[in-house]
Amino acid sequence: MGYARNVYWHAAALGSVYDLERYLNVRSAYGASFAPDGELAFLHDATGVPQVWTLDDPRAWPDQHTFFEERVTFVTWSPERREIFFGMDEGGNERAQLFRLDPDDGLITNLTATPEAKHRWGGCSHDGDRFAFASNRREEAVFDVYVQGRDETGDDATLVHEGDGWLSVGGWSPDDDRLLVSKAHWSFDQDLYVLELPDEMGRHEDDSADVAAESELTHVTPHEGDVRFVSAQWGPDGDAIYLVTDHGEDTSYLARLDIATAAAADDVAEALTVVESGGDWDVDGVALDDETGRLVYSRNVDGYTELTVGELAGETDIDAFPTPELPGGVAGGVAFDDDGERFALSASGRTANTNVHVVDIETGAVEQWTAAGTAGIPRETFVAPDLVRYPTFDGREIPAYFSLPEDGATGTDGAGDDAGVDDDAGVPVVVDIHGGPESQRRPSFAGLTQYFLSRGYAVFEPNVRGSTGYGREYTHLDDVENRMDSVADVEAAVEWLADHEAVDPDRVVAMGGSYGGFMVLAALTEYPDLWAAGVDIVGIANFVTFLENTGSWRRELREAEYGSLEEDREFLESVSPINNIESIAAPLFVMHGANDPRVPVGEAEQIAEEARGQGVPVEKLVFEDEGHGITKLENRIEAYTAVVDFLDEHV
């Protein structure tokens, strides 16, 4: 009996007895918010899509409060009342509505009730009487700023500023008479404004546009060129903003922006004071409690999170508190409690699925509050990556995470399926390319990655040029006419893998989503001899049709990265994989959501049709109730089961 038990444990330790569905059932808990009495609200995907849950004590049994088939996108407590605000879209269409939940009687009120428009949460006033949001109700391509009473609904919202682009609300000033507003020109260029609210927030008798006209908007980041102003937070006295910027530097740093000086300046540099320099690595975010001056900021060190916890001691000095030791290496989503004595955040890692932890600010003690499970898979079977760097065509070193299956991984799921792993030939490898491109692959938990590793696949995740986290210069190396240089970085990755003794160079797979999907298609058409198969998830096949059909509110932001239809059409056509489809040779799997507002489903349809026309084996899978990515558990199981079967057949 004991022997049999040991044999079973050994098999489990190799990951060979768990099927794909088990790995996709590894849960996540994240996005926490404290109630005034210390109760914690958070999102948890225990039902297959993120829903609202609450918890009174660490590791206590949580209460579920929403039971929708659609994903909840954020959750936050009111600062004064026992009520919860959350957002939810429909079928992945990203037209989120805002809701209020009474956690005691379960009553849910749709506060916005305008399903044709997007609503982007801007926070509650400190007394909890009002909330702000940005929405494209008036015109689909632009976002306006609204303020609404907590007990108002739908058209009761007051338009306080008519926008002319992509606006978002960064929060209420300490005295609740102003809003911090951000305007994004694209991912690497933003402007900040202070919006002074009118004395009377009720609707005027004539129309809400008059209210908007009375709201004074002050520009506080005058600058030339592309500059990032992100993670902006009100300072304790309301006379300054603390933010992350790369103004004048290659790496982002933490700075204080004096509002009065900025309002009168010709250049924001006159109003900026460095609080913490970037150095070799970006400061990538800050959270500040405007009542206590306590703050947490993070530094992105090769994709891993380093936290600093402190309290403002003057305008730019920080008294440091002990550094918390968090599991996993990647953390974010800081939320302070009512007294500023604790903060909650989400922590994750390749061997630690995402859970909410609470940190005591003064001691640095960390306590895990949520208990999102691993579907019975022992945590010690999860594989951590190695951080590597490989040379590319211009002599640069490209960072990447490289994970090899543990010794003894069989390539079976316990039911006799064989992935065809031949120890003498080396293992197959999935080159998994992140989206964005203004993003970064970080070593957070991914059930699909762990499943591939359990079946004997290696996984290689490059942060090619254009990725964030490595300074301003690196992020701009793929802009517009340099687009294909990032694809060449992928080709260099395969060359590096071909020289690795553990890898079979004849069984290399390209996989990626969104912009990563474009990278897959471009890699397959530009370097067709390198690949055994490709998996394109909500990817761009044709930059012209993508820009023509993407959500109108996104087009200007995307043209800044890729090039404009008016000025760069010929170039966009030249780099579109659909126009080089005659070169493709590897079998292709294409996956998409029918409601995708970012990369419309037509991108999947045209690439699948054209590739089939070239005699390429193609599988296409479209989900009618998904958008930009596959989020619902049942759909993920169907989708990735099909992907695994496809790879088993062709790789």
Side-chain angles (χ1 to χ4, degrees), residues 50-117:
Q51 298 295 303
V52 177
W53 297 65
T54 60
L55 195 59
D56 287 318
D57 298 295
R59 303 295 190 107
W61 191 263
D63 293 320
Q64 184 178 354
H65 294 278
T66 60
F67 300 84
F68 300 107
E69 294 183 0
E70 303 292 350
R71 62 181 179 177
V72 174
T73 54
F74 78 90
V75 60
T76 185
W77 280 98
S78 167
E80 293 292 338
R81 295 177 176 83
R82 186 167 171 75
E83 58 189 20
I84 292 171
F85 297 91
F86 68 91
M88 183 174 64
D89 67 357
E90 183 176 354
N93 66 5
E94 300 186 16
R95 299 180 186 272
Q97 306 300 301
L98 306 178
F99 300 83
R100 188 183 71 244
L101 161 70
D102 185 321
D104 296 319
D105 64 16
L107 179 65
I108 294 175
T109 303
N110 187 337
L111 297 170
T112 48
T114 312
E116 68 275 10

Side-chain angles (χ1 to χ4, degrees), residues 524-529 577 579-586 614 616:
L524 263 59
T525 54
E526 293 293 316
Y527 307 101
D529 297 335
N579 295 324
N580 300 300
I581 196 67
E582 69 280 356
S583 299
I584 193 171
Q614 297 295 318
V616 173

Side-chain angles (χ1 to χ4, degrees), residues 242-519:
Y242 290 81
L243 52 82
V244 172
T245 182
D246 59 2
H247 185 275
E249 299 291 341
D250 186 55
T251 54
S252 298
Y253 55 94
L254 176 61
R256 179 185 185 273
L257 175 67
D258 184 273
I259 294 174
T261 303
D266 293 327
D267 190 287
V268 70
E270 301 174 35
L272 281 177
T273 306
V274 176
V275 178
E276 180 64 31
S277 66
D280 294 332
W281 301 102
D282 285 334
V283 173
D284 61 357
V286 60
L288 191 153
D289 180 36
D290 64 19
E291 294 186 0
T292 64
R294 291 183 166 181
L295 77 167
V296 181
Y297 66 87
S298 58
R299 193 183 297 277
N300 179 344
V301 181
D302 250 333
Y304 292 88
T305 302
E306 288 188 0
L307 288 182
T308 298
V309 181
E311 182 174 325
L312 290 174
E315 294 181 347
T316 58
D317 293 331
I318 298 175
D319 288 338
F321 290 120
T323 300
E325 294 185 10
L326 294 166
V330 181
V334 170
F336 292 95
D337 71 359
D338 192 51
D339 299 322
E341 296 179 352
R342 302 175 297 169
F343 64 88
L345 81 171
S346 309
S348 177
R350 280 301 160 83
T351 61
N353 58 314
T354 307
N355 271 289
V356 176
H357 296 71
V358 174
V359 178
D360 183 286
I361 289 180
E362 293 189 1
T363 67
V366 179
E367 192 166 21
Q368 182 177 326
W369 271 54
T370 62
T374 62
I377 304 174
R379 297 179 190 275
E380 55 266 33
T381 66
F382 298 143
V383 178
D386 290 326
L387 178 61
V388 302
R389 283 178 165 75
Y390 65 90
T392 189
F393 67 93
D394 60 357
R396 297 178 188 275
E397 295 284 318
I398 304 299
Y401 298 107
F402 185 36
S403 305
L404 283 167
E406 297 285 0
D407 292 341
T410 62
T412 68
D413 62 10
D417 293 340
D418 194 335
V421 175
D422 182 344
D423 290 337
D424 293 332
V427 298
V429 58
V430 175
V431 178
D432 188 1
I433 310 165
H434 70 72
E438 312 97 327
S439 184
Q440 180 187 25
R441 181 56 51 87
R442 303 184 73 167
S444 52
F445 187 83
L448 181 62
T449 298
Q450 295 298 332
Y451 176 73
F452 279 134
L453 290 163
S454 77
R455 285 180 57 85
Y457 285 88
V459 178
F460 191 85
E461 302 160 282
N463 278 313
V464 298
R465 69 189 63 210
S467 301
T468 54
Y470 307 97
R472 176 206 294 262
E473 179 186 357
Y474 194 79
T475 61
H476 288 294
L477 289 175
D478 69 338
D479 291 354
V480 191
E481 68 274 4
N482 297 320
R483 179 65 42 212
M484 301 310 288
D485 287 352
S486 61
V487 184
D489 289 342
V490 175
E491 188 265 347
V494 180
E495 290 183 357
W496 185 88
L497 288 165
D499 292 334
H500 198 287
E501 61 183 3
V503 171
D504 182 350
D506 293 327
R507 292 187 293 170
V508 181
V509 178
M511 182 173 76
S514 189
Y515 178 78
F518 155 75
M519 293 287 282

Side-chain angles (χ1 to χ4, degrees), residues 192 326 650:
L192 296 179
L326 294 166
H650 295 289

Side-chain angles (χ1 to χ4, degrees), residues 69-70 90-92 593-595 622-627 631-632 634-635:
E69 294 183 0
E70 303 292 350
E90 183 176 354
N595 302 321
V622 175
F623 291 92
E624 296 301 320
D625 58 346
E626 297 281 7
T631 61
K632 298 175 181 177
E634 60 183 19
N635 291 341

